[in-house]
Amino acid sequence: QLHLQESGPGLVKPSETLSLTCTVSGGSISDSNHYWGWIRQPQTPGRGLEWIGSIYYSGSTNYSPSLKSRVTISVDTSKNQFSLKLRSVTAADTAVYYCARRQFWYDMSGHYSTWFDPWGQGTLITVSA
Amino acid sequence: DIVMTQSPDSLAVSLGERATFNCKSSQSILNSSNNKNYVGWYQQKPGQPPKLLIFWASTRESGVPDRFSGSGSGTDFTLTISSLQAEDVAVYYCHQYYSSPPTFGQGTKVEIK
């Protein structure tokens, strides 16, 4: 059964870089049928889920336009891991960060990135001095 | 970006009763080329990550109880729990993957009355 686990420091200072790694076990990150993504969830009531970006095992990426200038996602197939770097963080970046597998769908109409399943347990990142 | 708006924000239902909640997209998320609606539903229990319940608006993920069902097309979608169980207390999110960036609704909190 596929399992994803986020790791990284729980506390980051304002203006610094948040770095997280997602380790995939029970399956290969080089699976051509899946992308790998990062999603975050602020802990403020009423704030929902926000997609950060996704990566394919080849290294192809796509990012949220609102975060694109500060985000880099990379993949290390030899370690079965993918990573997130978010630069110049502020208090607004405080959230639970999840990694997840994203299904890649092909049919006669084209190819699409679709739903997220499964998700890692999530890690709370607090931005504070 | 496509905005997903869920209603109601919260819902209290008696055990064994039907729970129905809605999700409306700011534009159609039906792909007429394959007749698929690019919507998923997730369940999130306290302290846990979201869990996929439904994809393509109405296809139940493997292992999901058949009391959960999804319906709708175009811009209006519904998740129904036919007979609410205690373990269904959670926040439910809809998600569109029709266009990038993928976006989620704000969630509907389901509680026991």
Side-chain angles (χ1 to χ4, degrees):
Chain A
Q1 184 175 353
L2 194 78
H3 182 74
L4 292 83
Q5 181 67 56
E6 306 87 352
S7 58
L11 181 65
V12 183
K13 291 182 168 56
S15 80
E16 295 191 344
T17 296
L18 179 165
S19 296
L20 292 173
T21 295
C22 181
T23 300
V24 178
S25 57
S28 174
I29 204 167
S30 299
D31 177 357
S32 61
N33 291 318
H34 298 99
Y35 273 80
W36 305 90
W38 289 98
I39 304 105
R40 69 181 183 180
Q41 185 171 36
Q43 295 301 280
T44 308
R47 295 287 301 278
L49 297 155
E50 180 183 18
W51 174 73
I52 300 169
S54 298
I55 191 164
Y56 198 52
Y57 75 94
S58 63
S60 173
T61 55
N62 50 84
Y63 298 132
S64 168
S66 65
L67 295 170
K68 187 174 185 176
S69 64
R70 298 194 290 133
V71 171
T72 301
I73 297 175
S74 58
V75 64
D76 186 338
T77 55
S78 67
K79 294 182 179 179
N80 231 31
Q81 295 176 333
F82 63 105
S83 298
L84 168 70
K85 290 189 185 300
L86 179 65
R87 296 176 290 278
S88 304
V89 298
T90 69
D93 295 310
T94 294
V96 175
Y97 285 74
Y98 295 100
C99 59
R101 185 180 69 176
R102 192 171 189 195
Q103 183 71 38
F104 197 46
W105 178 268
Y106 307 79
D107 63 27
M108 291 183 65
S109 69
H111 53 85
Y112 312 94
S113 298
T114 60
W115 53 86
F116 297 96
D117 177 61
W119 298 53
Q121 191 60 33
T123 186
L124 175 62
I125 300 298
T126 302
V127 179
S128 174
Chain B
D1 298 3
I2 296 176
V3 177
M4 305 294 280
T5 303
Q6 293 186 239
S7 62
D9 289 335
S10 63
L11 181 65
V13 176
S14 300
L15 288 172
E17 295 298 305
R18 180 184 298 263
T20 299
F21 33 99
N22 304 301
C23 178
K24 188 175 184 65
S25 57
S26 59
Q27 65 184 74
S28 177
I29 47 180
L30 169 65
N31 184 341
S32 56
S33 298
N34 57 15
N35 202 36
K36 289 186 180 301
N37 287 281
Y38 285 46
V39 168
W41 288 93
Y42 300 82
Q43 175 193 64
Q44 186 177 31
K45 297 181 180 180
Q48 295 185 19
K51 173 189 171 185
L52 178 70
L53 297 177
I54 302 281
F55 53 92
W56 298 131
S58 60
T59 302
R60 203 177 300 115
E61 169 71 329
S62 176
V64 172
D66 60 7
R67 64 179 180 273
F68 291 92
S69 62
S71 62
S73 185
T75 61
D76 293 281
F77 301 91
T78 299
L79 181 68
T80 299
I81 308 173
S82 61
S83 175
L84 190 74
Q85 306 298 303
E87 61 265 31
D88 301 334
V89 169
V91 180
Y92 293 84
Y93 295 95
C94 59
H95 160 223
Q96 70 79 20
Y97 44 89
Y98 182 83
S99 68
S100 190
T103 50
F104 296 84
Q106 83 279 12
T108 292
K109 186 175 184 179
V110 175
E111 299 172 309
I112 305 295
K113 184 186 292 183

